[in-house]
Amino acid sequence: FRRQQRDQFISSKRLRYLTSNHDQQYYDNNHVQNLARDLLKHGNQRIDTLKQLSTAFTYHNQLISSFLSVDNALQALIGILTQCDSELQHHAAWCVTNICAGNHQQTLQVARLAAPYCITYLSGQNIAMQDQCAWAIGNMAGDSQECRRLLVKQGVIKPLVTLLNATSENVIQSAAFALCNFTREDDTYFKEMIDCGILRYLMDHLRFSKDGTISLALLPDILQLLHHIAARNEYDHALLSSDIVKPVLRVIHHLREIRSYQIKIITPAIRIIGNLAGGLDEFNTLILQESTILQDLTYWINHCTHSHIIKEIFWLLSNLMGGDLKILPVTCVINHGNDLIKEAIKRLSWADEIGIEANLI
């Protein structure tokens, strides 16, 4: 429960947990400092030591501080990261990942030493290291603008974007998570991502297979990254060229068809369409050409228990109505518009943002 609370608190960072007997152990400051000293001995138990440390780092930041307080412990960890033993490297990268889920001082201290090696491994052939290093970089990027600048100066954007074309879903997910964290606060790094072909890779992951299935595991991070890009009007033409509307609307429809209430998927999907509806008129035309769009939105209003989704849908609709009304397909409005209007009327008196959006409609 304590870990779950911490995960929720640090939304821009992700801890990685080890499923083993180590997870049941109790760790205190003395234990972690002893493990740090064991790491300096170059013995045969270093993999076990690294596993215990990566688990200890998931409990609280004080244990990370205890590790960093041991002279040369961090240098020893970075040394293992640069060795030829792939298993040791992987567990060292795992430790780096969890340390970088700590506070700013801890993250920056480790990032300054580990970032160049993590970035190098992104372009390697070891899939496990690509995944873990992308995850570690994501935690670094999610920490602060200072860390993001440090990483970008070392050329992190291009290899991360390239990993979106990887064969491993874990690698793709970690790369998308990391790239999302580079879109926080400002749009400094968007142009480089666009120039590296990020939209092409993201669209590939929104394509359904011939049997009508799609990887739901990848969608939260892929859609969140697309949402951040779609929120910037200067990339509207690039998004229009990438044919973004139909794939995102199909995801919304697909979730309705399979009755999957995955809030981490439906939220960014609705927000993407809402952002696009507030942009070029061409987007509104494409959105309203989809015959099921109003049905799908009505369904989510009636079946979603999360109030923010209802607010986002009404915001999307108000953006659609704020465009050129001549593009509204008459049959679409006649068949399904009444249901949406009824839902909006029900909420006109709500004293919150949902009521405000309903009034706008």
Side-chain angles (χ1 to χ4, degrees):
F1 178 74
R2 182 175 64 225
R3 295 188 197 184
Q4 185 179 13
Q5 283 185 316
R6 188 178 178 208
D7 274 344
Q8 292 170 348
F9 179 72
I10 312 175
S11 59
S12 64
K13 298 187 178 187
R14 296 178 182 175
L15 292 158
R16 183 174 182 183
Y17 301 112
L18 184 69
T19 306
S20 72
N21 291 332
H22 294 308
D23 202 40
Q24 307 302 319
Q25 291 185 6
Y26 171 76
Y27 295 94
D28 58 21
N29 294 329
N30 289 333
H31 190 177
V32 169
Q33 288 177 338
N34 287 333
L35 288 170
R37 295 185 187 99
D38 289 342
L39 208 59
L40 299 170
K41 296 177 182 177
H42 303 283
N44 296 326
Q45 305 298 318
R46 283 194 295 174
I47 287 181
D48 186 69
T49 300
L50 289 168
K51 288 180 178 180
Q52 290 190 65
L53 284 169
S54 64
T55 298
F57 296 152
T58 65
Y59 280 88
H60 52 79
N61 292 348
Q62 183 54 49
L63 295 181
I64 296 175
S65 296
S66 294
F67 171 80
L68 295 175
S69 70
V70 176
D71 289 343
N72 298 316
L74 178 57
Q75 287 74 11
L77 180 64
I78 302 303
I80 295 171
L81 189 64
T82 65
Q83 290 182 1
C84 298
D85 188 316
S86 60
E87 189 175 8
L88 279 172
Q89 284 180 325
H90 181 239
H91 285 288
W94 195 328
C95 285
V96 169
T97 300
N98 286 349
I99 292 175
C100 290
N103 62 38
H104 171 63
Q105 183 178 356
Q106 294 163 346
T107 303
L108 186 60
Q109 183 179 351
V110 174
R112 283 172 172 159
L113 294 178
Y117 303 108
C118 289
I119 294 171
T120 298
Y121 289 131
L122 296 180
S123 302
Q125 302 301 311
N126 187 322
I127 292 176
M129 284 297 287
Q130 287 178 327
D131 175 31
Q132 198 59 66
C133 288
W135 193 335
I137 288 168
N139 282 346
M140 295 175 195
D143 180 80
S144 63
Q145 183 69 271
E146 185 176 6
C147 284
R148 288 190 286 276
R149 286 172 180 161
L150 182 152
L151 292 162
V152 169
K153 284 181 180 178
Q154 298 179 48
V156 73
I157 298 296
K158 185 175 182 179
L160 277 178
V161 171
T162 301
L163 286 185
L164 292 176
N165 195 37
T167 56
S168 164
E169 281 199 356
N170 288 340
V171 173
I172 296 166
Q173 190 173 16
S174 295
F177 158 65
L179 287 164
C180 275
N181 278 339
F182 281 97
T183 65
R184 292 177 178 273
E185 295 182 12
D186 59 49
D187 58 357
T188 305
Y189 313 116
F190 277 108
K191 186 179 185 304
E192 184 177 355
M193 292 182 191
I194 299 292
D195 292 343
C196 290
I198 191 171
L199 291 178
R200 180 176 73 254
Y201 296 136
L202 293 177
M203 290 303 108
D204 285 344
H205 297 303
L206 293 181
R207 291 197 174 94
F208 285 72
S209 64
K210 292 181 180 179
D211 62 357
T213 59
I214 192 171
S215 173
L216 295 181
L218 286 178
L219 287 181
D221 291 299
I222 295 298
L223 289 170
Q224 188 65 26
L225 186 48
L226 268 174
H227 160 57
H228 288 165
I229 297 173
R232 270 75 177 182
N233 290 336
E234 58 264 41
Y235 301 110
D236 277 357
H237 289 285
L239 289 166
L240 186 64
S241 299
S242 72
D243 192 27
I244 185 177
V245 173
K246 192 168 185 175
V248 177
L249 290 179
R250 187 174 179 186
V251 168
I252 294 171
H253 180 68
H254 178 70
L255 292 179
R256 171 194 162 197
E257 283 188 320
I258 64 175
R259 301 296 190 266
S260 178
Y261 305 102
Q262 296 201 35
I263 202 68
K264 290 184 179 180
I265 297 177
I266 192 65
T267 299
I270 293 292
R271 286 174 176 167
I272 289 168
I273 299 302
N275 280 320
L276 297 179
L280 303 174
D281 282 340
E282 290 92 326
F283 285 131
N284 289 8
T285 302
L286 292 169
I287 292 167
L288 290 165
Q289 280 176 354
E290 294 300 313
S291 60
T292 65
I293 176 61
L294 297 184
Q295 286 175 286
D296 293 335
L297 295 179
T298 303
Y299 172 85
W300 286 110
I301 289 172
N302 287 322
H303 291 83
C304 188
T305 58
H306 296 270
S307 61
H308 78 276
I309 292 295
I310 300 173
K311 179 181 77 71
E312 296 289 349
I313 291 174
F314 283 154
W315 171 71
L316 184 165
L317 289 168
S318 68
N319 280 347
L320 277 177
M321 299 305 106
D324 184 356
L325 296 181
K326 291 184 291 185
I327 68 176
L328 286 170
V330 175
T331 56
C332 182
V333 175
I334 290 174
N335 292 335
H336 310 294
N338 285 339
D339 292 334
L340 277 171
I341 292 171
K342 289 176 183 177
E343 295 303 327
I345 290 172
K346 288 179 187 177
R347 295 163 174 84
L348 284 175
S349 62
W350 289 21
D352 58 12
E353 292 181 342
I354 294 176
I356 294 172
E357 296 295 346
N359 273 280
L360 287 173
I361 295 173

